[in-house]
Amino acid sequence: MSEKISVEVCVGTSCHLMGSNLIMECLDRLADNIKERIDLRYVQCMDRCGKGPNVRIAGVLLDKVTPETVVEEIKKSLI
Amino acid sequence: MAEVISEVTKIRRRVLTEVAALIFNNRLVEDVEGLPKKLTDEGLTSYRCCQYKEQAILQERIKLALGIDITAEDSKKRLEELARNVLDQPVARSDKPYITLIEEACDHCSIDKMFVTNACRNCVAHNCVNSCPRDAIKIVDNRAFIIREKCIECGLCAKACSYGAIVEIERPCSRACAVDAIVSGDKASAAIEEGNCVECGACIVACPFGAISYRSEIVNAIKMLRHSQSETVALVAPSFIGQFGPGVDWDVLKEGLKKLGFTRVVMVAAGADEVIREESRELLENIEFNKGVTFNSCCPSFKNLINKHYPELTAGISTTESPMLKTARLLKKSGDDDIKNIFIGPCLAKKGEAIRESNGLIDGVLTYEEIAAVLVGAGINLAKLGGEKSRRDNNLENPSIDALNFCAAGGVSKAILNSMERDGLQVKTAAGIRDCDKLLKQISRGVFKIDFMEGMGCQDGCIGGPGTMTGPAKAKGLLKKMSREVEMNV
Ligand code: SF4
Ligand code: SF4
Ligand code: FES
């Protein structure tokens, strides 16, 4: 299967303050074969500011994420 | 510091944001008492033994967010009363160090430095015993035992053990502090020795329990923004680039700060241009009169290091004002109350500098994380703003490339060299207090002769400051990009 999955990262000020830049940095460091299958987008706000950083992976909203949980989720949805 | 955003960093930022929001919603006095419970109910990490301890620590964090000196006796009052006081009283700033220990949060990490682990096999060789110059190791119960009274923590035993069974443990805070300012406090917790502390903030980043934090100035700043009849100017440090997330460039940031209530937003880099000229002149003079090494004056933490730990070198500190003060002076004269200057940057030491040296030119210093918390508290999301392209006709928005680069290690000396048009200048640079300390030691001993030393309290320079939100590697890349753009425009 080589369909791409969408990964949306909220870069609103609230999520940024809670570390969304770390999420982006960890996505940067992913292996190329995984990166190729990701459709990365920045989102201005996901309306859950108090629970940042927020990401949406393949349509599923995840709050209070850390780089580790994001990578894990991405790998799961790619299987 | 932003390479890692630990849970405790998030807690500090969360508290700042909540406090800011309560002020903007006019609910601070009413709701502050319930804030610790609200936060733990929402699942703010409970790494402590119980919710009560967690809440007690949160109370202290809230006090720091309110700008209260938690070492003072009258900080023991209820949050509600403290909140009312900070809102009612006229803006008063104290020269007490901004960096403080939260006694309740300190985990009393072991301070016995050399530690025998279970890996000790009571071997025949007993290299540890033999290596100890003070006879401080005995074999007790089939295992090496260190007699605390005799141990001088030289570390030879750890090196000698073939199994690596002896380790050197040090409190993370004191390991991070290059000037031995973290000492043991009364109750076996850590304590900060004011006389040694250079306000670099390295210990804040290092403590895994978030037991060291800083007094915030957000309340004062919000009050100035909301009630002041006067002009409120945001003086933004050169290192702002990339600090507020993708897409937030100067125009967007400016729009956001204006929305927040700043009447003017200027670049401190503009003041840095003035500093380059002046400091170069001074350096030339110092060389001519054979006055020895000149040190940059722009980093307050480096300056503290010289003043407190190398008093014999203080004469060499450049008398040129820092870019912050230069820019502030361009905007107002001391005693001029019609303008409020608020510096926004990556730095904690600037808070002290503003009080000690600004003569009232600077009315407040906020870190990037503090201003972001204020923006969020006010409901402003920079990512949603368009950033109207304003014309930068103003000279306070057109700094040179050299001035922009003041925020990265090596930038100051490069700027000076560029402006000096003189060959054979001997220059050395150091970034991070530990490296600065090493170099200063050599200079003080006369190991080499140089003309100028650039010292930065933070690794990577200001882009690695304790108040940043974006990692220095990323910031460096964006800085390069911006420099190129500026170059193309001229
Ligand atoms: S010098 Fe720096 S690391 Fe040491 S106590 Fe002061 S702020 Fe902390
Ligand atoms: S390097 Fe910059 S951020 Fe760090 S202490 Fe010095 S002036 Fe402050
Ligand atoms: S800023 Fe991320 S959800 Fe609002």
Side-chain angles (χ1 to χ4, degrees), chain A residues 10 12-15 44-49 54, chain B residues 381:
Chain A
C10 178
T13 305
S14 180
C15 285
Q44 292 169 347
C45 183
M46 292 183 176
D47 294 320
R48 306 190 59 161
C49 302
N54 293 309
Chain B
N381 182 353

Side-chain angles (χ1 to χ4, degrees), chain A residues 13 16-17 21-22 44 64, chain B residues 13 42 243 381-382 469:
Chain A
T13 305
H16 178 70
L17 189 59
N21 54 325
L22 290 189
Q44 292 169 347
K64 293 190 182 160
Chain B
R13 294 180 179 176
E42 284 174 13
Q243 285 303 323
N381 182 353
L382 294 173
M469 294 188 289

Side-chain angles (χ1 to χ4, degrees), chain B residues 324-363:
Chain B
M324 170 177 85
L325 298 181
K326 267 274 174 291
T327 314
R329 196 178 289 287
L330 292 174
L331 293 159
K332 80 168 177 180
K333 297 180 190 64
S334 17
D336 183 350
D337 254 352
D338 277 349
I339 296 175
K340 301 279 181 213
N341 281 336
I342 298 182
F343 176 83
I344 297 170
C347 187
L348 291 176
K350 286 278 172 201
K351 288 177 182 281
E353 181 193 325
I355 300 224
R356 284 188 303 269
E357 298 178 34
S358 92
N359 261 322
L361 285 175
I362 297 285
D363 302 279

Side-chain angles (χ1 to χ4, degrees), chain B residues 243-302:
Chain B
Q243 285 303 323
F244 298 89
V248 183
D249 61 7
W250 176 249
D251 293 307
V252 175
L253 178 63
K254 193 168 135 186
E255 187 186 334
L257 292 176
K258 288 209 161 161
K259 252 191 139 140
L260 193 60
F262 284 101
T263 45
R264 251 182 107 180
V265 182
V266 304
M267 282 193 199
V268 166
D273 270 318
E274 185 89 27
V275 170
I276 297 171
R277 280 190 288 275
E278 207 175 307
E279 206 155 271
S280 312
R281 255 201 316 272
E282 203 182 341
L283 175 56
L284 215 58
E285 228 175 79
N286 286 353
I287 294 173
E288 222 146 273
F289 292 100
N290 231 332
K291 286 204 185 148
V293 196
T294 305
F295 305 101
N296 60 304
S297 58
C298 56
C299 172
S301 158
F302 176 56

Side-chain angles (χ1 to χ4, degrees), chain B residues 4-5 39 74 94-95 161 174 189 212 290 304 306 311 316 340 349-350 363 371 390 405 437:
Chain B
V4 278
I5 297 179
L39 289 170
D74 60 358
S94 92
D95 57 356
C161 174
S174 63
S189 61
I212 306 179
N290 231 332
N304 287 340
I306 300 178
K340 301 279 181 213
K350 286 278 172 201
D363 302 279
I371 194 72
S390 51
N405 280 301
D437 186 59

Side-chain angles (χ1 to χ4, degrees), chain A residues 11 13 15-25 28, chain B residues 1-5 9 13 239-248 345-346 367-369 372 407 459-479:
Chain A
V11 294
T13 305
C15 285
H16 178 70
L17 189 59
M18 289 297 145
S20 58
N21 54 325
L22 290 189
I23 310 295
M24 272 142 26
E25 274 166 40
D28 255 359
Chain B
M1 88 159 274
E3 297 291 25
V4 278
I5 297 179
T9 303
R13 294 180 179 176
S239 52
F240 78 89
I241 301 156
Q243 285 303 323
F244 298 89
V248 183
T367 58
Y368 294 128
E369 74 173 17
C407 60
Q459 254 158 37
D460 297 298
C462 303
I463 51 174
T468 56
M469 294 188 289
T470 297
K474 178 113 201 178
K476 226 181 277 176
L478 292 167
L479 188 64

